[in-house]
Amino acid sequence: MDIITRFQKSILDNSNNSIKYYFTKSKNKYIIHIENPNNEPINVCDNNLEFYTKLINILFDNNNKTKSGCFNYEHTEDDDPLYNSDFDDLMVRFLKSDYCLILIDDNFEPLSYLCISDNTLWTLCTNSLFRNKGYMSLLLDHLFKLIKNKKFKDYIDLPNLKIYIKKNNPIKDALFKYYKKYKFKLENDNFEYLIMKYNIDTRI
């Protein structure tokens, strides 16, 4: 079975015509694009359950003892109600966005993920099993290449593109330095977030 056929069988929600799927390649990895302007829930069925279960598990681990997902740091208390959320609730929470990009390998293993809503990059996450291999950089490099080729003109106004870093993120300082390499600079520092905005003036 070729990669496109596997993509069609293992990822797509064929029940909803308002959600569009695209498939691109970069440096021997693949990027799944999910365009969802109406923020419709993705229908998960037998064919695509395995893939989306893996993806949700890297974003949020609903085992309140292990807490191994990217965003468990936001929910440190064992009795946090999110740990009682079912799979459908987590799908809505993390994948109901205008646009999602998912970096995968040729085994359809989710490696890195981000989403775009309200001209902001959200939910940037790399699978804990595959960190420090440059996968988020690969995904962001591909995103900015597409932005410069005007492929995201309906979703991204580059001079006003933002990233929010939560203050309680244990690696917030490293993230701040990392995003600066992508020409983001601090715009606002409030009680909850460091808000970074793309710096169109490359001289600064």
Side-chain angles (χ1 to χ4, degrees):
M1 187 183 298
D2 65 34
I3 193 77
I4 297 298
T5 302
R6 290 167 59 204
F7 162 62
Q8 292 170 336
K9 287 182 174 293
S10 304
I11 310 294
L12 270 61
D13 170 10
N14 292 311
S15 68
N16 192 327
N17 292 327
S18 71
I19 303 177
K20 306 298 182 186
Y21 295 82
Y22 306 95
F23 190 69
T24 56
K25 185 175 182 180
S26 181
K27 296 183 179 178
N28 297 316
K29 296 292 184 287
Y30 303 93
I31 297 99
I32 306 297
H33 301 247
I34 305 176
E35 184 178 11
N36 188 4
N38 299 324
N39 282 195
E40 297 284 342
I42 294 172
N43 181 41
V44 177
C45 55
D46 290 344
N47 287 348
N48 59 11
L49 177 61
E50 180 180 2
F51 176 79
Y52 287 110
T53 298
K54 287 181 178 180
L55 180 59
I56 287 299
N57 286 343
I58 74 170
L59 296 170
F60 187 80
D61 177 9
N62 63 2
N63 183 325
N64 62 4
K65 303 304 178 188
T66 52
K67 299 186 177 78
S68 62
C70 282
F71 298 100
N72 285 88
Y73 77 87
E74 298 178 357
H75 307 274
T76 56
E77 299 297 325
D78 290 351
D79 60 353
D80 189 300
L82 194 59
Y83 289 104
N84 294 319
S85 298
D86 63 19
F87 175 77
D88 291 337
D89 290 337
L90 294 174
M91 280 289 295
V92 168
R93 183 182 184 91
F94 289 107
L95 270 77
K96 197 174 179 183
S97 299
D98 296 344
Y99 210 107
C100 300
L101 289 91
I102 310 160
L103 181 72
I104 63 171
D105 62 17
D106 54 10
N107 292 316
F108 278 54
E109 191 73 37
L111 303 175
S112 288
Y113 171 86
L114 64 82
C115 66
I116 303 164
S117 286
D118 300 323
N119 208 51
T120 302
L121 302 183
W122 296 99
T123 326
L124 287 82
C125 169
T126 294
N127 190 328
S128 61
L129 299 175
F130 302 102
R131 288 181 183 163
N132 302 311
K133 296 181 182 293
Y135 290 146
M136 181 54 71
S137 295
L138 194 160
L139 186 58
L140 284 171
D141 289 346
H142 191 69
L143 171 67
F144 276 96
K145 179 180 178 180
L146 293 174
I147 292 172
K148 289 174 183 177
N149 288 325
K150 303 188 185 304
K151 301 295 185 181
F152 279 92
K153 60 181 182 294
D154 293 333
Y155 294 97
I156 291 179
D157 171 28
L158 190 57
N160 294 300
L161 182 63
K162 295 181 181 180
I163 291 179
Y164 286 60
I165 304 173
K166 272 210 165 185
K167 289 280 192 72
N168 65 342
N169 191 320
I171 60 168
K172 66 178 183 301
D173 294 334
L175 290 174
F176 184 79
K177 291 178 181 177
Y178 177 74
Y179 296 140
K180 282 178 70 176
K181 295 177 183 178
Y182 282 89
K183 303 178 185 176
F184 287 90
K185 62 183 293 188
L186 184 66
E187 182 189 50
N188 191 9
D189 181 349
N190 62 35
F191 176 76
E192 188 174 7
Y193 292 103
L194 297 171
I195 302 173
M196 303 185 76
K197 182 179 177 182
Y198 186 79
N199 177 20
I200 199 71
D201 187 348
T202 56
R203 297 171 298 174
I204 298 176

